[in-house]
């Protein structure tokens, strides 16, 4: 039995956006045609694994034919772009692509008052047959680049702005609680400390820039 939500587990509000249906012969796809997102609510035990979570989602959305595999703990050749948001915290649109990301999400959400998280899954086109070709092209491009004269590369203004925002957020949310094991925290309404990692700060800074 779970420790959260009266034993039901962590509440996951999941939105799945499939690829648009294939165009029929003789028809043209409408510009900006998008498939309608599908929403569902599920409760999952906090000790569940990332792959079990993905399997549950694929079953729930009746798309178990989609391949899902992990290599060294990260999704590979999987046509799913996944992000999560924890309501009433600064953790919005955080990447969810690995066992580490999933464990971090669980750790953060169980420290909130209601143990609720929103997950956004988007089906994307993946062509695994092009992996080797892409790697070869990247190697050729890198080799060609080394033959060129060295040039001074300036950091884009957006990256400089983002770095400055990250520094500001780090200072603003520096944890002064000596009993807390983290240096940078968001303190939730109930007093729980949510650890703000560099990934969280970068996503937050990007949202501010947008």
């Amino acid at each position: 039995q779970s420790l959260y939500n009266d034993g039901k587990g962590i509440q996951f509000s999941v939105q799945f956006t499939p690829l648009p249906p294939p165009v029929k012969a003789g028809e043209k796809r409408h510009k900006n045609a998008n498939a309608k997102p599908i929403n569902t609510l599920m409760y999952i035990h906090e000790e569940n694994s990332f792959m079990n979570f993905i399997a549950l989602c694929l079953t729930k959305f009746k798309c178990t034919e989609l391949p899902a595999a992990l290599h060294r703990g990260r999704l590979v050749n999987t046509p799913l772009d996944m992000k999560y948001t924890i309501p009433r915290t600064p953790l919005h649109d955080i990447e969810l692509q690995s066992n580490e990301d999933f464990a971090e999400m669980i750790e953060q959400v169980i420290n909130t008052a209601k143990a609720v998280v929103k997950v956004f899954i988007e089906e994307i086109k993946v062509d695994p047959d092009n992996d080797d070709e892409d790697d070869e092209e990247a190697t050729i491009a890198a080799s060609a680049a080394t033959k060129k004269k060295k040039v001074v590369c300036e950091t884009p203004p957006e990256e400089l702005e983002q770095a400055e925002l990250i520094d500001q957020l780090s200072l603003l949310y520096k944890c002064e609680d000596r009993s807390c094991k983290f240096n940078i925290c968001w303190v939730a309404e109930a007093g729980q400390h949510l650890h703000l990692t560099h990934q969280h700060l970068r996503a937050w800074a990007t949202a501010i820039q947008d």
Side-chain angles (χ1 to χ4, degrees), residues 77 125-142:
N77 297 334
K125 289 184 178 180
V126 173
D127 188 359
D129 294 333
N130 285 339
D131 285 352
D132 294 338
E133 183 179 340
D134 292 342
D135 291 342
E136 184 178 352
E137 289 178 358
T139 301
I140 294 173

Side-chain angles (χ1 to χ4, degrees), residues 51-107:
M51 278 306 299
N52 280 343
F53 168 69
I54 294 174
L56 286 169
C57 289
L58 294 179
T59 300
K60 193 79 173 180
F61 295 116
K62 299 180 181 179
C63 52
T64 52
E65 74 283 357
L66 294 178
L70 292 175
H71 177 65
R72 296 182 178 178
R74 290 194 66 84
L75 285 175
V76 292
N77 297 334
T78 300
L80 301 174
D81 179 45
M82 307 174 66
K83 295 180 179 180
Y84 71 89
T85 289
I86 301 178
R88 311 188 84 168
T89 77
L91 308 184
H92 287 214
D93 296 328
I94 307 299
E95 183 183 78
L96 183 57
Q97 295 291 318
S98 68
N99 287 333
E100 184 178 355
D101 293 340
F102 188 77
E104 175 70 23
M105 177 187 69
I106 296 297
E107 180 181 351

